Amino acid sequence: MFFASDNWAGAHPAINERLSRESTRFASAYGSSALDLSIEKRFNEIFEREVAVFFVATGTAANSLSLASIARPGGLTFCHSEAHVIEDECGAPDFFSGMRMVAVEGPNGKMLPENLIERISRYPQDAVHHGRAAAITMTQATEAGTVYTLDEIDAIAKIARENGLPLHMDGARFANALAALGTTPAEMTWKRGVDVLSFGGTKNGCWCAEAIVFFDPALAKDFAFLRKRTAQLFSKSRFIAAQFEAYLQDDLWLGLASHANAMANRLRAGFASLNSARLAWPTTANEVFAILPKAAAEAATEKGAKFYDWLVPRDMPEKVGKDEVLIRMVTSFATTESDVDEFLSICASV
């Protein structure tokens, strides 16, 4: 019953097998191999246009370097107040981009357009003492387990365009959001106005495979130097490419994300049927937030369940009682129905 994070899951067998085959071969280094180049072309097919793609090792690197590539002196990046870039990356996006993160409020992990407009208005382009608006980053799926709809992405992108700001999407759980919406990669990104994407694979069955995708290759003309100077140019980058080859083949990535989402749906349905527990707020991807009696959480922990106690958000309408606890549960491609059912059975028994 491993629900602490999708980072706890291993690698999918197809990805393991592809890495094993690659380990016995020779190939040119630093992204110049035939495999590297073929996967770059595969990204063009997935996104239905020519893109510039760069492999990196971690989601933090992808987010930080994406923002660094569009940075402006004295720049400010606007993000949700609970976004990973502002809460969980130790200031790396600020450090590498030289820009400050500015928090924008909104329920359930999503920026409200009116709040974003108000925050941007505080930093006009000539506000030398306070800094100037420079970029917007949105998380898809969000840290709250929710997903921006296509209309909601349109609304954020419209604000970005009206203010001349590039729009970045943190897609650490990109596949989960895509599967939840039932749309295409193109429709969820550049067709809505996204300029740069952090494309995540690690949380969805890869070992350590992340990519930065520029939907206008002209934006990436200097990025190769930025990646090198930040120690993210791997000599054996084909091992990231090999993971992506298996990940993208026959839509494996979407199948893995759909399974994780289905297991989260099973959890959500189970909590909805319990008298002793309830959902903290609606979610649509592979994260579930629930309010349990402390006794149920302790009983599950004693029987081996792994999950995180979660800080109650400031704007959470649901009350957590003194004998209750808010927890986060994350499902993955490796979560089984029996994992979910056993956890729910423990809760029901308490």
Side-chain angles (χ1 to χ4, degrees), residues 45-117:
E45 297 170 2
I46 288 170
F47 286 101
E48 304 174 39
R49 65 175 295 164
E50 181 184 357
V51 299
V53 58
F54 297 84
F55 304 146
V56 295
T58 70
T60 296
N63 289 336
S64 300
L65 300 190
S66 292
L67 295 174
S69 73
I70 53 179
R72 304 177 69 188
L76 302 163
T77 299
F78 299 88
C79 63
H80 190 270
S81 57
E82 297 167 16
H84 205 268
V85 291
I86 198 170
E87 285 286 317
D88 299 293
E89 294 185 341
C90 197
D94 308 61
F95 177 79
F96 284 104
S97 71
M99 299 195 292
R100 284 184 289 135
M101 301 294 119
V102 176
V104 178
E105 300 298 331
N108 298 338
K110 295 193 280 189
M111 292 182 285
L112 283 178
E114 55 268 34
N115 291 348
L116 177 59
I117 292 169

Side-chain angles (χ1 to χ4, degrees), residues 2-86:
F2 290 96
F3 300 109
S5 173
D6 35 13
N7 282 320
W8 284 42
H12 188 270
I15 292 169
N16 287 335
E17 190 277 331
R18 184 63 187 87
L19 278 169
S20 180
R21 280 193 287 124
E22 194 60 33
S23 69
T24 63
R25 301 177 179 180
F26 285 82
S28 56
Y30 299 108
S32 63
S33 74
L35 177 58
D36 285 281
L37 299 177
S38 71
I39 300 306
E40 291 176 9
K41 291 181 180 178
R42 182 78 178 99
F43 272 86
N44 292 342
E45 297 170 2
I46 288 170
F47 286 101
E48 304 174 39
R49 65 175 295 164
E50 181 184 357
V51 299
V53 58
F54 297 84
F55 304 146
V56 295
T58 70
T60 296
N63 289 336
S64 300
L65 300 190
S66 292
L67 295 174
S69 73
I70 53 179
R72 304 177 69 188
L76 302 163
T77 299
F78 299 88
C79 63
H80 190 270
S81 57
E82 297 167 16
H84 205 268
V85 291
I86 198 170

Side-chain angles (χ1 to χ4, degrees), residues 174-185:
F174 184 81
N176 299 98
L178 201 64
L181 289 179
T183 188
T184 68

Side-chain angles (χ1 to χ4, degrees), residues 3 267 271 277-281 287-294 296-298 300-301 305-312 316 320 324-330 343 347:
F3 300 109
L267 269 175
F271 282 126
R278 61 195 183 279
L279 295 173
W281 58 81
E287 292 179 276
V288 177
F289 295 81
I291 300 170
L292 306 183
K294 289 181 180 178
E298 290 168 359
T301 299
K306 304 295 182 183
F307 51 85
Y308 283 131
D309 291 348
W310 206 250
L311 186 66
V312 177
M316 180 174 156
V320 179
E324 296 179 319
V325 61
L326 172 64
I327 69 168
R328 184 193 77 165
M329 304 180 72
V330 188
F343 186 91
C347 293

Side-chain angles (χ1 to χ4, degrees), residues 114-125:
E114 55 268 34
N115 291 348
L116 177 59
I117 292 169
E118 190 276 330
R119 294 296 282 174
I120 291 173
S121 70
R122 297 187 188 188
Y123 303 99
Q125 292 301 305

Side-chain angles (χ1 to χ4, degrees), residues 76-254:
L76 302 163
T77 299
F78 299 88
C79 63
H80 190 270
S81 57
E82 297 167 16
H84 205 268
V85 291
I86 198 170
E87 285 286 317
D88 299 293
E89 294 185 341
C90 197
D94 308 61
F95 177 79
F96 284 104
S97 71
M99 299 195 292
R100 284 184 289 135
M101 301 294 119
V102 176
V104 178
E105 300 298 331
N108 298 338
K110 295 193 280 189
M111 292 182 285
L112 283 178
E114 55 268 34
N115 291 348
L116 177 59
I117 292 169
E118 190 276 330
R119 294 296 282 174
I120 291 173
S121 70
R122 297 187 188 188
Y123 303 99
Q125 292 301 305
D126 59 354
V128 67
H129 293 292
H130 304 294
R132 56 181 172 171
I136 300 170
T137 177
M138 62 192 307
T139 313
Q140 181 74 329
T142 75
E143 293 298 295
T146 55
V147 172
Y148 285 94
T149 66
L150 298 186
D151 287 343
E152 288 170 335
I153 299 172
D154 278 333
I156 300 296
K158 181 175 183 288
I159 296 168
R161 286 194 304 273
E162 290 174 346
N163 289 275
L165 306 178
L167 177 59
H168 166 255
M169 178 178 283
D170 174 0
R173 295 187 174 97
F174 184 81
N176 299 98
L178 201 64
L181 289 179
T183 188
T184 68
E187 289 291 347
M188 201 171 76
T189 54
W190 65 269
K191 288 187 177 182
R192 310 254 78 79
V194 176
D195 298 294
V196 188
L197 167 69
S198 296
F199 181 92
T202 305
K203 293 181 186 293
N204 193 36
C206 293
W207 285 52
C208 56
E210 309 285 318
I212 299 171
V213 181
F214 293 89
F215 296 108
D216 178 3
L219 280 177
K221 62 184 180 66
D222 295 323
F223 188 79
F225 296 93
L226 179 61
R227 181 175 62 166
K228 175 66 174 177
R229 292 191 69 184
T230 53
Q232 285 293 314
L233 176 59
F234 288 82
S235 59
K236 296 182 180 180
S237 65
R238 73 183 190 276
F239 286 104
I240 297 180
Q243 293 177 70
F244 277 133
E245 183 179 60
Y247 185 64
L248 300 173
Q249 187 172 352
D250 298 325
D251 286 338
L252 175 65
W253 63 303
L254 297 177

